[in-house]
Amino acid sequence: MLKRNAQIQLTRLTGLSVSALFACLLLVPSGAHASNGGGELATGVSFTSREFLSHPSRNDKPIFRYAVSGGARGANKPIDKLLIFDNGNILVTGDVGVPDREAKLSPTDLKVFKDFILEKSDFFSLDSADIEKRMNQNGATAIADGYSSIFSSNFEGKIHEVEIYSLWTATKSFPNFDAIKKCEAIEKRCKEIISVVNLGDRGPKILEAVNAEISNKKLGIQAFELNEMRLASQLAGGRFQVSFSRVHAGNTDDPPKAMHAIYFVKQTGAEPQISFYNLPKQ
């Protein structure tokens, strides 16, 4: 467990790690679909290598950490979700009963990530106390069962941490609060990386199955693409889910809305179930 407000250090790994090497995941391509109301996100994914990392070397001090704590505020210790290291190695962890997953960013993608955090998000200017104070002054809504989003950095020895309680609610309540929007963007980027690592090399096979179901059921929609993936979750017992989303154009009788494809495996060895929601009227 990493300790907050202290030097960031990596604990020993346990269990078998699942690894995936990927590129171009840090930039959502032009025309990619926006996040929908369920908290899912657009992901630009391009698998350019089949090189897997069995035992990647890693530093003992992550340069970036994403963690969460909650339900009830202050009731639980922070749980690490994503660690990124200066050599590009990534560790996805934190889910009970799920082995740690490892991957690696290329030097180019690592630079893109650093630029996103330090330049575009101006991370060192974000201040937890100031954000909370401004929200309270503007009528922040009290929530008893939300969780805190925690972002910690250690870039070239400069340590900084930002913690936002119930970030999803804060984003909805203060859509024009620049610091909140930056924190939301950082969390989306973290979840995007986690989803890509969870997906691993299964993306093309899953996409093929989803599109075959579209054809077999004669749904009358275009095949999904991998960059329309919104979330990939790996849970205990082999439970695994991938969601795809697209906003269809709509018309007077059927206004624009997000349609979804869900690929779901209930447990290890189970046949996948594929479901579709909010399809356009035919």
Side-chain angles (χ1 to χ4, degrees), residues 121-188:
S121 301
D122 197 12
F123 184 68
F124 290 128
S125 73
L126 300 175
D127 182 87
S128 304
D130 180 64
I131 292 172
E132 184 168 357
K133 179 180 178 180
R134 290 178 61 186
M135 287 195 298
N136 289 336
Q137 288 174 342
N138 289 277
T141 302
I143 298 176
D145 59 351
Y147 67 86
S148 292
S149 300
I150 303 165
F151 311 105
S152 305
S153 70
N154 186 358
F155 292 104
E156 298 179 354
K158 186 176 181 180
I159 297 172
H160 185 61
E161 182 172 281
V162 179
E163 179 175 345
I164 305 294
Y165 181 66
S166 192
L167 179 55
W168 186 86
T169 302
T171 301
K172 300 302 178 184
S173 300
F174 304 97
N176 298 317
F177 191 165
D178 188 57
I180 290 294
K181 289 194 292 185
K182 288 178 178 178
C183 289
E184 180 197 25
I186 292 172
E187 184 165 72
K188 283 185 177 181

Side-chain angles (χ1 to χ4, degrees), residues 20 27 47 114 155 163 218 223 234 237 243:
L27 293 175
F47 290 92
K114 288 181 178 179
F155 292 104
E163 179 175 345
K218 297 180 172 57
Q234 183 69 64
S243 64

Side-chain angles (χ1 to χ4, degrees), residues 47 199-208 226 244:
F47 290 92
L199 186 67
D201 66 339
R202 295 176 284 189
K205 182 178 179 180
I206 291 171
L207 191 66
E208 181 180 2
L226 200 54
F244 299 84

Side-chain angles (χ1 to χ4, degrees), residues 55-75:
H55 301 287
S57 62
R58 53 185 175 265
N59 301 331
D60 61 352
K61 298 176 183 178
I63 60 172
F64 190 82
R65 168 205 183 205
Y66 166 54
V68 299
S69 65
R73 190 172 189 180

Side-chain angles (χ1 to χ4, degrees), residues 262-277:
I262 307 295
Y263 177 98
F264 175 66
V265 177
K266 186 176 182 179
Q267 60 190 22
T268 301
E271 288 295 318
Q273 303 170 22
I274 301 174
S275 305
F276 300 89
Y277 301 92

